[in-house]
Amino acid sequence: MEKTLVDKIWKAHKVHEVEGAEVIYIDQQFLHEVTSPQAFDGLRNRGRDVFRKHKNLATADHNVPTINQHLPISEPLSRKQVKTLNENCAEFGVELFGLGHEKQGIVHVIGPELGYTKPGMTIVCGDSHTSTHGAFGAIAFGIGTSQVEQVLATQCLVLRKPKNMRITVDGTLQKGVFAKDVILYIISKLGTGGATGHFVEYAGSTIRNLSMEARMTVCNMSIEMGARGGLIAPDDITIDYVKDHFSGDPAVLPEAVQFWRSLTSDPGAVFDTEYHFDAADIEPMVTYGTNPGMGMKVTEAIPNTADAKPLSYMGLNNGDSLLGKKIQHVFIGSCTNSRIEDLRLVADFVKGKRKSDDVQVMIIPGSKRVEKQAREEGLDRIFEDAGFQLREPGCSACLGMNEDKIPSGEYCVSTSNRNFEGRQGPGARTILASPLTAAAAAINGKIVDIRKEL
Amino acid sequence: MEKFEQIQSTAIPLPIEHVDTDQIIPARFLKATTREGFGDNLFRDWRYDRSGTEIRDFVLNNSRYKGSILVAGQNFGCGSSREHAAWALYDYGIRVVVSSFFADIFKGNSLNNGLLPVQLTNEQMTTIFQAVEENPEVEFHVDLARQNFRILGTEHAFSFGIDPYKKMCLLNGYDDLDFLLSLEAEIETFEKQQQIY
């Protein structure tokens, strides 16, 4: 019988079956400081060691400051959590790229760039945006801390196979429309719970034409429509990227490439749910509410059917347009949009321009490597001339957990992934958008249609 | 994990859709390195204003409503994978969350912590919300073995679905790790035949 790519990878990792659930082997686990301490405690309480140390990799990202990372973290609880990660990794022999390490960064940025993420793998992390790694044709998904402990102890999880969904996008994107707009558009059509219970395969010519970094942006936000994860079948673009970042024995590469090329859904494979979208219908997107499903084309007005509670939180009304809306902050960063291509796009646009005096702009590179590369390419000087602050890597203002927060009642155009109430700090009002829409908002002090600025 | 068999309690109604885990427990309260104490900050920004004063309108501050059952709108627990959301609800005293559907990760986390997610139809949810609104003292009975949810004092009895494996775990107080550790030999055999690059 014809199989989907998810079915194939799933089957290749099945260890055991129990009462309709399956025991699935996990090839790679990523760890960070927030969702791992209780898992390591669990191991200690049971007197267990980490089962496969080399299949686990840790970094510090959620709690870290994004300036003066060489100094001790000033907030005591954050400092303790990062210290606990260091101690746990040392005690259990888990590799750690901690604060200050040249390979440190947001967990979903460093996995691919350091060659850990490869096609056909099963990948987990105590973080819902683990779906990012699906861009390589991997089954990658977020888990809770109890499951982090299970993977540490056995490299396995007890799971029920999700349903299959395929989302096909065909055609050429308009100038000024990016991967972030594609995924915000899809989420606005399906809604914040529209893919719950499913694993999504993204397909179609639009997806095929995206770079690996753009594909990561798409897969990253799969969870924002409730999907367990999202993936894209490997092709030449994937294989070129993986070969460039490969850290294993080069002698196995030819065989590996052959295997990676085999990772596709069979032509007749049946998906439980299918959606088709036309790239020509996609415009630059913005969100207006308090979940990522509440998004619209930047030229549209807030629907009259939108709920009162989220609009009241956002200080917006039914029928409002966001074009011309004054904003106070721009955040360019997060596991969704903090890679070198994002920074290059922004730099290319802002070169020779200057931000509005009314706007604060933070650019947070996804990793030390991205930061280094940006500086080597001279992007830091372009940002500085524009009044944008290039800081050090971390999750930053994506989640209001570290020092980078948006003040209550103020608007932030953010390239991150969630506009939940309080996500960027209590009372903060988040408008999700692409890096270029965010950069244009910084220059103009208000939301504009980026297509008119290019 | 504690066993879950049955519970009888009044309920707390939260008829809001798409309650995300950032609302259940905001990120700034995730800095603890243990599992305890998260209940104090359950629904923190809906429960307290910026000065720390209780927000009267919020249901957890309304003395009419109490109990170990939370009745919530659809897509409860969406967003972040933080297990702290399940810990916060449990620590506060919630043992059952009822909704017309749950976000996948939250559902899994709940089941791993002895917090039972009961999924019912929209129509059944309407009946439950009405019953609580009309009489906050109304009690509900949840029987996991029979997969049955009853509104006491009425003829309403709803059956609910649950993964048979998770049901067995909850009834016995087992967690996945107990089971996985028993498979160590099988896991090692799998590793030997696995093709990896």
Side-chain angles (χ1 to χ4, degrees):
Chain A
M1 199 180 122
E2 292 86 354
K3 288 196 170 62
T4 68
L5 177 52
V6 169
D7 291 342
K8 291 180 189 178
I9 301 173
W10 190 273
K11 189 173 170 223
H13 289 82
K14 189 158 94 178
V15 174
H16 186 93
E17 260 189 67
V18 54
E19 301 256 10
E22 290 158 283
V23 175
I24 296 296
Y25 191 82
I26 303 302
D27 296 318
Q28 176 69 49
Q29 171 158 256
F30 297 112
L31 300 149
H32 64 80
E33 76 277 18
V34 180
T35 57
S36 66
Q38 297 86 352
F40 282 111
D41 269 352
L43 288 188
R44 265 188 292 269
N45 292 342
R46 287 182 194 250
R48 308 288 310 187
D49 198 1
V50 174
F51 181 61
R52 295 291 177 253
K53 295 176 196 288
H54 65 289
K55 294 186 178 184
N56 291 273
L57 172 70
T59 191
D61 55 6
H62 284 60
N63 263 308
V64 304
T66 57
I67 44 171
N68 293 325
Q69 287 187 345
H70 60 288
L71 299 176
I73 300 174
S74 57
E75 213 274 316
L77 289 175
S78 296
R79 190 169 65 236
K80 186 181 174 211
Q81 217 172 36
V82 171
K83 185 169 163 264
T84 303
L85 179 72
N86 295 348
E87 289 166 357
N88 283 332
C89 289
E91 180 183 339
F92 287 95
V94 170
E95 187 159 34
L96 166 71
F97 300 141
L99 191 55
H101 194 285
E102 60 174 14
K103 292 179 178 172
Q104 178 267 342
I106 303 174
V107 64
H108 310 307
V109 175
I110 68 168
E113 82 180 1
L114 299 175
Y116 287 82
T117 303
K118 288 182 291 257
M121 292 177 96
T122 48
I123 299 172
V124 297
C125 175
D127 190 288
S128 60
H129 293 112
T130 308
S131 58
T132 311
H133 307 267
F136 292 81
I139 290 188
F141 54 94
I143 56 174
T145 298
S146 296
Q147 292 173 305
V148 172
E149 181 186 343
Q150 291 157 24
V151 177
L152 286 171
T154 68
Q155 211 59 39
C156 285
L157 289 172
V158 189
L159 300 166
R160 211 165 238 279
K161 192 159 88 64
K163 290 186 204 162
N164 283 294
M165 178 184 287
R166 180 162 59 190
I167 298 177
T168 307
V169 190
D170 277 312
T172 308
L173 292 172
Q174 300 175 39
K175 197 171 181 189
V177 176
F178 300 93
K180 181 62 164 289
D181 300 302
V182 173
I183 190 63
L184 283 174
Y185 177 83
I186 294 171
I187 299 165
S188 77
K189 294 295 176 193
L190 270 70
T192 190
T196 302
H198 291 78
F199 210 97
V200 178
E201 178 172 349
Y202 299 95
S205 61
T206 312
I207 303 294
R208 285 277 151 246
N209 286 325
L210 296 175
S211 70
M212 279 320 292
E213 296 197 358
R215 291 179 191 187
M216 284 188 242
T217 300
V218 171
C219 291
N220 171 274
M221 290 190 72
S222 304
I223 180 72
E224 306 312 337
M225 48 190 172
R228 220 46 195 91
L231 57 55
I232 297 170
D235 57 13
D236 289 344
I237 292 174
T238 322
I239 287 163
D240 286 348
Y241 184 105
V242 177
K243 277 159 87 176
D244 280 352
H245 297 78
F246 194 67
S247 57
D249 175 8
V252 305
L253 258 178
E255 195 184 310
V257 167
Q258 201 179 1
F259 167 65
W260 295 334
R261 283 197 196 282
S262 75
L263 295 168
T264 56
S265 286
D266 293 330
V270 177
F271 288 80
D272 299 284
T273 317
E274 290 235 37
Y275 289 96
H276 293 266
F277 298 107
D278 183 350
D281 290 339
I282 307 175
E283 291 184 16
M285 296 289 294
V286 285
T287 60
Y288 55 84
T290 56
N291 72 55
M294 301 177 81
M296 63 182 183
K297 297 173 182 174
V298 71
T299 53
E300 286 180 332
I302 297 173
N304 285 323
T305 49
D307 287 347
K309 185 177 182 285
L311 291 188
S312 156
Y313 179 86
M314 289 298 292
L316 298 169
N317 297 297
N318 298 99
D320 283 359
S321 165
L322 284 183
L323 281 175
K325 177 80 189 166
K326 286 209 162 91
I327 52 108
Q328 292 76 43
H329 301 269
V330 166
F331 168 59
I332 295 171
S334 86
C335 55
T336 315
N337 281 121
S338 64
R339 298 177 179 85
I340 192 67
E341 285 178 14
D342 298 314
L343 270 50
R344 282 184 193 141
L345 257 176
V346 170
D348 191 45
F349 174 75
V350 303
K351 194 170 188 175
K353 298 188 179 80
R354 179 82 197 164
K355 76 168 180 75
S356 159
D357 289 341
D358 305 328
V359 180
Q360 304 287 323
V361 187
M362 268 193 283
I363 300 196
I364 312 293
S367 68
K368 287 308 273 184
R369 287 204 167 181
V370 172
E371 182 193 349
K372 183 164 175 269
Q373 195 170 353
R375 292 187 192 283
E376 280 169 4
E377 294 179 15
L379 308 187
D380 54 332
R381 287 189 298 279
I382 296 172
F383 293 142
E384 201 177 312
D385 291 346
F388 290 19
Q389 194 184 15
L390 178 66
R391 300 169 69 138
E392 293 171 278
C395 296
S396 184
C398 176
L399 87 164
M401 179 159 196
N402 47 69
E403 295 162 4
D404 304 344
K405 292 188 179 78
I406 306 302
S408 183
E410 298 190 5
Y411 291 95
C412 178
V413 178
S414 176
T415 68
S416 57
N417 39 56
R418 288 191 172 134
N419 51 348
F420 296 149
E421 282 184 34
R423 175 76 181 182
Q424 296 194 284
R429 292 164 165 172
T430 305
I431 296 168
L432 300 176
S434 79
L436 224 50
T437 292
I443 301 296
N444 291 281
K446 60 189 180 188
I447 291 174
V448 296
D449 184 345
I450 182 65
R451 292 170 299 177
K452 297 194 172 150
E453 307 274 315
L454 296 173
Chain B
M1 194 170 79
E2 273 183 46
K3 283 184 191 180
F4 187 109
E5 287 165 343
Q6 37 191 316
I7 269 178
Q8 184 168 323
S9 168
T10 50
I12 301 170
L14 186 70
I16 299 174
E17 296 182 351
H18 311 300
V19 172
D20 60 77
T21 54
D22 272 82
Q23 307 317 314
I24 299 173
I25 181 97
R28 64 187 189 281
F29 301 111
L30 307 185
K31 296 177 195 239
T33 52
T34 59
R35 288 173 185 242
E36 291 79 36
F38 290 102
D40 291 346
N41 293 309
L42 177 69
F43 292 112
R44 174 75 199 200
D45 293 336
W46 287 355
R47 215 164 129 198
Y48 302 102
D49 67 14
R50 304 294 298 285
S51 69
T53 309
E54 283 188 0
I55 297 171
R56 296 295 294 269
D57 291 349
F58 187 59
V59 69
L60 294 191
N61 297 327
N62 185 337
S63 56
R64 277 161 54 89
Y65 301 109
K66 43 190 166 313
S68 55
I69 300 173
L70 182 71
V71 188
Q74 64 156 333
N75 196 21
F76 187 82
C78 61
S80 160
S81 59
R82 59 190 70 167
E83 192 163 318
H84 311 64
W87 297 338
L89 286 160
Y90 196 92
D91 191 52
Y92 185 83
I94 303 295
R95 294 293 176 270
V96 177
V97 185
V98 190
S99 177
S100 60
F101 84 90
F102 293 91
D104 291 327
I105 305 179
F106 174 79
K107 192 187 301 186
N109 287 341
S110 298
L111 290 165
N112 284 338
N113 285 279
L115 175 67
L116 180 68
V118 172
Q119 189 164 331
L120 298 174
T121 65
N122 286 322
E123 205 174 298
Q124 291 165 339
M125 292 304 298
T126 305
T127 306
I128 296 166
F129 278 123
Q130 269 171 5
V132 183
E133 196 181 320
E134 279 165 21
N135 175 19
E137 304 290 319
V138 69
E139 288 200 295
F140 300 87
H141 187 264
V142 185
D143 184 334
L144 176 59
R146 293 191 172 80
Q147 297 180 222
N148 186 267
F149 183 96
R150 281 191 297 141
I151 309 179
L152 298 182
T154 74
E155 76 278 22
H156 292 296
F158 309 135
S159 64
F160 61 87
I162 182 168
D163 183 308
Y165 164 76
K166 289 316 267 183
K167 178 179 172 179
M168 182 270 290
C169 286
L170 282 169
L171 286 171
N172 294 292
Y174 296 159
D175 60 30
D176 289 353
L177 191 45
D178 298 324
F179 172 63
L180 288 169
L181 287 170
S182 73
L183 297 178
E184 201 166 313
E186 216 171 323
I187 295 168
E188 284 178 353
T189 307
F190 172 87
E191 286 178 321
K192 286 194 188 104
Q193 58 76 42
Q194 195 196 14
Q195 175 193 29
I196 44 163
Y197 296 101

